[in-house]
Amino acid sequence: STTIPPGKVRYTVIDPIGLGQNFAAFMHLADFDEQLIGARIWTESGQIETRLADLTEQMEVVIQKYLRNEFETIEDYNAEAGEVAEPFRYLVVANFPANFSEAACRRLVSIVSSGARCGVHTLISVDTKMQMPQGFKLSDLEQHCVNFIWKDDHFQWKDQDFGALPLTLDKPPAVDLFTQIVRRAGESAKNASKVEVPFRVIAPRPEEWWKGDTRGGIRVSLGPAGATKQQHLELGKGTSQHVLVAGKTGSGKSTLLHTLITNLALVYSPEEIELYLIDFKKGVEFKTYATFALPHARVVSVESDREFGLSVLQRLDGELKVRGEKFRDTGAQDVSSYRRVTGESLPRIMLIIDEFQEFFVEDDKVAQDVGLLFDRLVRQGRAFGIHVLLGSQTLGGAYSLARTTLGQMGVRIALQCSDADAHLILSEENSAARLLSRPGEAIYNDAGGLPDANHPFQVAFLPDVDKEDYLTRIQNFSHERNGDKQYPLIVFEGNVPGMLDKNPLLDTFLQSEDWPNLGNRAPLAFLGDPVAIKDPTAALMRRQSGHNLLLIGQNDLQALGILAAATVGLAAQVSPMPANGGRAKFFILDGTPPESPNAGFFEKVAAIMPHDVRVGGMRDVPAFLNEIANEVTRRQTANQTDAPPWFLILHDLQRFRDLRKKDDDFGFSRMGEEQAASPAQQLGNILREGPGLGVSVMTWCDTLNNLQRTFDRQALRELELRVLFQMSQNDSSSLIDSPAASRLGPQRALFHSEEVGALEKFRPYGLPTDEWLASVKERFFARPLPPPPEPPAPP
C-alpha cells in the first residue's frame, strides 16, 4: 500500500481459519474505499470460489481487451493508459488449503501462473499439516512462486542459490503505528482513486463540427477503451438500434448521458439528428439544454410527469406513421435510401429517457399505453431512423415493461450496479458488470448482453462548466451557420409553476391589434401549463348551465395564480366596448387577509384592464351580488342570451360569512311575509341561472368542509368545472368520484369537467410578474377603448 501510488492497488484477502482476525487492521481501508479491500475478508468456501472467479475474469479482460499483443505486461499498458491505468491486485491467502475446493485450487493455480502479467500477484501461506484437495499438488503453485519455508524458528529461502544465505524479514510496526499507516494509505487512495478523462479527449475538433452524416447510422465516442482506443456508440446497423443503460447512484450514468448528448450535438447538425430528452429524476439534469436552446433538442423535460412522457411517445408514434407513409410513397426502405431518392434531409431521432421505470410505478392505463408504444417504437423505429435510449438506476422495478421489448434493446451499457441488475442489463450468464469498481467505468455490449461482446471503457468526464461552455459555442456556431433560424423546442419543467407569459394561445390574443371577435365560440379561462404536449389547460366558459369554475384545496398561492391568470385571459378575449345594450364586466370579491403578502394583488390585475372591473371585499358583498342578481333577472325577463359576459370572481370563499347558507333555511318564508333575498340566496340563483345568460362565477375555497358550509348540494351541482389541489382521498372522491387528487405532488392540480367527464393533470400558473402585467396593459390600451362613463344625472 505504501510503495504503490495511492489508489492503484486492490486486495482480496482470504482467512478461513482466523475468520479475518489476522488481517483485521487492513479493514480500516474500507472506511475510505471498500474497493481497496474487497469490502471484507473472505472465509467460506463459496465466497472463496466467487472471489477467485472474479479475479480470473478480471485477468481475462486485461489480457483480451487491454494487453492483447500490443503490451507485454500491465506496466507497459499503464505507461500508455494515463488516467485509465489499471490498478494492481493482490490475492492474500492464509492457511491454504483450508476451505479450498478442487475448483478453487485450479483457479488459484491459474491466477498464480498468469496473474503477474496482468498485475495480479499472490501472497499465500500454506498449512502443510492439512491434507491437500484430491488431484492437487503443491508443486503446481511452487513452480510459479518465490517460496519460503519455516524451519528452526525462522523463514528460509527455498532456493538452490539463495537458500544457504541468512534471511531476516522486517518486523511489523506496532499496532498503533500500523493502524496509522493503513489509514493514511486509505485516505490518500480515496483522494486519488477518482478517474476523470477530460471530454476534450473524445470531442471532435472545431473544424469537424457538424460534419457527421447519419444516413448510415449514428457513431459517437463515449470515452477511452484501453490505452489507445475509444469506445463509440454505434446505432443504425444490424441489431444495434436501441440502448439500455443501467448504473446505480454515483456510477456516472448522468455523466454518460451528458457526454453522449454533447458529443452528438458536436458531431451532427440539427438536420442530421433530433433529440427528445426526458428526465424523471428529482433533479434538473437536462434543464441546461433548454437554457442554452440546444438546436438539436425538440423536447426537454425536467422532473417529468408520466403523462408528459406518454405524450412524447405518442408524438413519436405519430412521426413513425408519417415516415412510414413517406417511405411507401417513395419506395424507400430506410433513411439512407429515402434521402437518396428524394434529396430531402430526414434527421434521425434519438429519444433519451432517464429513470424510465417511473412510467411503470402504477399499473394503470398510462403504464399500459407506454408499454405498447415502447414496443412499437423499438420494433419499427429502426427502419425509420428512430432510436431509443432508456436509462435507469435499477431494472428490477420495470416489471410492467415487457421483457420482449427489453430484448429488442441490442446495445447495453452497464455501469456499477448490483449483482441482480448486472444480470438484467447484460444477460443471466454475463456477470461482468459486478467487477466494475469506479465511477464512470462501464461495459459496452452490442450483442444483447452476450458475454463475448463485452467491451470495458471509461466514460469521458464532462463537468458542468465545460458542458455549458460547449453548449454556448454550439449556440454561436449555429447562429453563424444558420443565422436567426429557430428550431422548435418544447420545454417541460415539472418542478416550477406554470408560466402564463409562455402561454401561446394567450399570446396570440394579446398580439392582436384589435379586440378578438369570438363569434359563437366561448372564451377560455386559462388555468395552467399542461403535462402533455398539447394546448394550455383551460376551462371553456360556455353559456350553458353548470359552467361555473370551482377551485378547491389549501394552496392559496396557486389558487390566486389561477384566478389571476383566468381573469387576464378572459379580459384578452372579451371586448370592453359596448355591445348588445351593455358592456362586459368583472366583479372581484377578494377575501385575502390584509396581512397576507399577496393582499391587493387583484387591484394590480384590475389596473391593467380597460374593462369595467370592480374589486371589493367583504363589505361589498351585498352591493355586488345585488347588482349581478338584478342583471340575471333582467336577462331572464328579456330572454337575452347574447348580452356581454359578466364574471364574478370569489377569492377565499371561506372568509365570506355572508355567503354561507343558513342552517334553518328551508327555502320558504313565514306566512304573509316577503323577505328580501340574502346574499347567499342571490349567489345560489346566479350559479343556477347565470351561466346560460352569460354570467359566470369563478371561486376558490380551501376545504370541502368550508365549501359545504356555503353551498348546498344543488348549488354544488352548478359548479361543474372543478380544479382540485392535493387533498385527502375521501374529499377527492366526493368532488370528482376519484381519489386522484390525493396523489398530486407540488406544482400539480387536476381539472375536471363534468361535461367531458375526464381528468386532466396540469401545472397551475404562478402569479404573473409586475413586468408582464405592465406589458399586457400596454397592449390592452393600444387597442380601441370604450368611451368614458356618462356623468350621473342631476337629482
Side-chain angles (χ1 to χ4, degrees):
S1 294
T2 57
T3 58
I4 296 176
K8 295 304 180 183
V9 63
R10 303 280 190 273
Y11 291 105
T12 300
V13 182
I14 298 173
D15 185 15
I17 302 299
L19 301 179
Q21 181 60 41
N22 295 323
F23 304 93
F26 284 96
M27 288 306 297
H28 290 291
L29 293 173
D31 297 339
F32 301 94
D33 186 353
E34 289 188 349
Q35 299 291 338
L36 296 175
I37 194 67
R40 57 168 295 180
I41 296 170
W42 310 99
T43 60
E44 299 296 328
S45 179
Q47 298 172 349
I48 293 171
E49 285 197 34
T50 301
R51 299 283 76 78
L52 296 182
D54 288 348
L55 280 173
T56 304
E57 193 170 345
Q58 181 64 35
M59 289 166 53
E60 292 174 355
V61 171
V62 171
I63 291 173
Q64 299 177 27
K65 304 298 183 180
Y66 297 157
L67 301 183
R68 296 185 176 178
N69 62 343
E70 298 178 68
F71 303 99
E72 181 62 30
T73 66
I74 197 68
E75 288 88 349
D76 300 331
Y77 169 83
N78 284 346
E80 294 286 335
E83 295 92 343
V84 293
E86 276 292 302
F88 292 92
R89 288 173 168 80
Y90 284 85
L91 170 63
V92 182
V93 181
N95 300 108
F96 178 83
N99 286 359
F100 269 73
S101 64
E102 291 184 43
C105 289
R106 287 195 299 270
R107 288 191 182 277
L108 182 60
V109 172
S110 175
I111 291 170
V112 170
S113 61
S114 304
R117 184 183 177 221
C118 307
V120 180
H121 303 278
T122 54
L123 299 170
I124 306 172
S125 72
V126 180
D127 188 343
T128 56
K129 297 178 182 179
M130 298 185 67
Q131 184 176 355
M132 296 295 162
Q134 186 176 3
F136 173 78
K137 297 179 181 179
L138 189 60
S139 58
D140 294 339
L141 288 180
E142 291 180 333
Q143 64 178 322
H144 300 292
C145 298
V146 175
N147 302 292
F148 299 94
I149 59 173
W150 183 258
K151 187 176 181 180
D152 298 332
D153 297 329
H154 66 279
F155 279 108
Q156 293 183 4
W157 204 323
K158 190 179 179 180
D159 184 85
Q160 184 176 356
D161 297 323
F162 297 102
L165 300 176
L167 176 64
T168 303
L169 300 178
D170 291 339
K171 294 182 179 180
V175 174
D176 291 345
L177 178 60
F178 191 89
T179 301
Q180 183 180 349
I181 292 173
V182 171
R183 292 189 67 83
R184 183 74 175 271
E187 185 174 358
S188 299
K190 179 182 179 181
N191 297 331
S193 61
K194 186 180 294 184
V195 176
E196 295 181 353
V197 179
F199 178 76
R200 64 176 180 274
V201 172
I202 66 168
R205 296 188 299 272
E207 59 270 21
E208 297 173 343
W209 287 11
W210 292 15
K211 294 293 180 64
D213 189 328
T214 61
R215 279 177 291 185
I218 296 170
R219 188 174 190 271
V220 64
S221 179
L222 301 175
T228 59
K229 301 179 180 63
Q230 292 185 9
Q231 181 61 59
H232 291 81
L233 173 67
E234 297 190 52
L235 300 177
K237 298 179 180 177
T239 60
S240 298
Q241 303 292 335
H242 312 288
V243 191
L244 196 60
V245 180
K248 64 184 180 181
T249 301
S251 64
K253 177 166 61 70
S254 295
T255 299
L256 169 66
L257 296 181
H258 289 307
T259 297
L260 169 63
I261 293 168
T262 306
N263 224 7
L264 282 171
L266 291 172
V267 174
Y268 301 108
S269 70
E271 286 71 35
E272 294 290 336
I273 191 166
E274 295 177 349
L275 301 175
Y276 290 71
L277 310 176
I278 301 177
D279 185 8
F280 281 107
K281 288 202 303 293
K282 301 301 180 184
V284 289
E285 291 289 350
F286 290 161
K287 183 176 180 179
T288 182
Y289 302 111
T291 303
F292 288 88
L294 181 67
H296 306 70
R298 296 296 170 266
V299 171
V300 175
S301 173
V302 179
E303 281 200 34
S304 183
D305 280 83
R306 300 165 70 236
E307 292 83 356
F308 182 82
L310 173 60
S311 71
V312 174
L313 296 180
Q314 290 168 338
R315 168 169 283 207
L316 290 178
D317 186 53
E319 178 66 20
L320 197 69
K321 295 174 182 176
V322 169
R323 292 191 174 196
E325 293 174 0
K326 288 184 175 181
F327 282 23
R328 282 192 295 272
D329 292 343
T330 59
Q333 298 296 319
D334 52 27
V335 172
S336 178
S337 59
Y338 178 81
R339 193 180 296 189
R340 184 175 61 252
V341 170
T342 65
E344 177 187 345
S345 175
L346 191 66
R348 289 186 182 267
I349 292 173
M350 190 155 190
L351 169 66
I352 299 177
I353 305 179
D354 197 9
E355 303 305 332
F356 77 95
Q357 78 280 359
E358 288 295 317
F359 272 127
F360 306 104
V361 293
E362 296 181 39
D363 188 13
D364 56 6
K365 190 175 186 302
V366 172
Q368 295 169 7
D369 290 347
V370 167
L372 291 173
L373 289 170
F374 267 145
D375 191 65
R376 189 177 304 152
L377 286 175
V378 299
R379 290 180 185 276
Q380 301 180 19
R382 55 176 295 180
F384 304 108
I386 298 177
H387 310 281
V388 179
L389 184 151
L390 303 180
S392 177
Q393 291 183 12
T394 176
L395 300 178
Y399 296 117
S400 297
L401 182 58
R403 293 299 170 192
T404 54
T405 303
L406 289 177
Q408 296 291 320
M409 314 292 284
V411 178
R412 312 293 177 89
I413 301 177
L415 296 106
Q416 283 180 294
C417 54
S418 66
D419 285 352
D421 284 329
H423 290 294
L424 286 173
I425 181 66
L426 297 174
S427 64
E428 285 296 331
E429 61 275 8
N430 191 348
S431 59
R434 60 192 171 90
L435 300 177
L436 301 173
S437 60
R438 62 174 180 259
E441 189 178 16
I443 291 174
Y444 182 94
N445 187 300
D446 57 0
L450 296 179
D452 55 355
N454 288 345
H455 300 279
F457 72 102
Q458 179 71 33
V459 177
F461 183 62
L462 182 61
D464 290 342
V465 173
D466 292 351
K467 178 177 61 179
E468 292 175 3
D469 177 62
Y470 273 108
L471 292 176
T472 300
R473 293 165 62 186
I474 291 172
Q475 198 176 45
N476 295 335
F477 184 77
S478 176
H479 182 73
E480 292 172 4
R481 175 167 169 167
N482 298 324
D484 295 329
K485 181 178 180 179
Q486 297 294 317
Y487 293 95
L489 173 60
I490 298 171
V491 179
F492 178 86
E493 292 186 72
N495 58 327
V496 299
M499 293 179 283
L500 186 60
D501 57 338
K502 303 293 184 183
N503 183 320
L505 295 183
L506 176 57
D507 194 58
T508 300
F509 291 127
L510 293 176
Q511 293 290 349
S512 175
E513 295 182 358
D514 206 341
W515 297 102
N517 181 12
L518 296 179
N520 294 326
R521 290 191 298 112
L524 295 168
F526 293 110
L527 308 175
D529 286 341
V531 293
I533 301 178
K534 59 178 289 293
D535 289 336
T537 302
L540 195 61
M541 307 302 290
R542 297 184 188 275
R543 296 197 176 207
Q544 68 183 47
S545 177
H547 270 233
N548 299 295
L549 177 64
L550 168 66
L551 281 61
I552 184 164
Q554 293 180 320
N555 197 318
D556 57 339
L557 190 61
Q558 289 183 350
L560 181 59
I562 291 178
L563 288 178
T567 302
V568 175
L570 290 169
Q573 303 167 68
V574 175
S575 172
M577 306 298 286
N580 297 330
R583 292 176 57 185
K585 292 187 179 182
F586 291 82
F587 298 82
I588 303 174
L589 286 170
D590 184 9
T592 305
E595 65 274 11
S596 170
N598 295 314
F601 188 79
F602 278 110
E603 279 81 355
K604 292 183 180 180
V605 173
I608 73 166
M609 297 164 53
H611 303 70
D612 189 345
V613 185
R614 305 181 194 179
V615 181
M618 297 180 188
R619 295 181 178 179
D620 301 292
V621 168
F624 279 27
L625 290 184
N626 191 57
E627 182 175 351
I628 299 172
N630 289 338
E631 177 66 11
V632 170
T633 302
R634 186 193 68 79
R635 295 185 182 189
Q636 276 185 300
T637 304
N639 195 24
Q640 187 179 11
T641 59
D642 61 348
W646 282 24
F647 299 99
L648 170 61
I649 296 95
L650 281 164
H651 180 254
D652 227 346
L653 181 66
Q654 62 275 5
R655 291 176 55 83
F656 291 92
R657 295 182 179 272
D658 288 350
L659 297 180
R660 292 183 181 177
K661 65 181 181 183
K662 294 181 180 180
D663 294 336
D664 60 348
D665 185 3
F666 296 101
F668 55 86
S669 60
R670 294 178 184 176
M671 187 175 297
E673 291 185 11
E674 284 294 335
Q675 295 182 339
S678 68
Q681 292 170 326
Q682 289 177 323
L683 179 58
N685 186 63
I686 294 169
L687 287 171
R688 185 172 57 256
E689 305 295 343
L693 301 168
V695 180
S696 302
V697 176
M698 300 187 296
T699 184
W700 166 61
C701 188
D702 59 352
T703 66
L704 178 59
N705 186 43
N706 282 332
L707 184 69
Q708 291 172 338
R709 288 181 181 179
T710 302
F711 298 129
D712 56 23
R713 290 186 178 181
Q714 179 60 42
L716 285 176
R717 282 198 288 267
E718 302 301 330
L719 294 158
E720 293 186 357
L721 307 174
R722 298 182 178 183
V723 171
L724 276 64
F725 305 122
Q726 191 173 34
M727 60 182 61
S728 70
Q729 289 188 5
N730 289 337
D731 287 355
S732 176
S733 298
S734 297
L735 288 162
I736 57 174
D737 295 327
S738 167
S742 65
R743 298 190 294 269
L744 292 172
Q747 312 297 347
R748 297 293 185 277
L750 284 177
F751 173 57
H752 173 77
S753 172
E754 189 73 26
E755 179 183 22
V756 178
L759 286 176
E760 180 181 346
K761 187 194 294 184
F762 68 97
R763 287 185 299 140
Y765 285 128
L767 293 184
T769 63
D770 292 344
E771 293 77 14
W772 185 78
L773 289 175
S775 68
V776 173
K777 180 179 181 179
E778 184 177 348
R779 293 176 182 177
F780 277 168
F781 282 85
R783 298 175 179 176
L785 299 178
E790 297 181 2

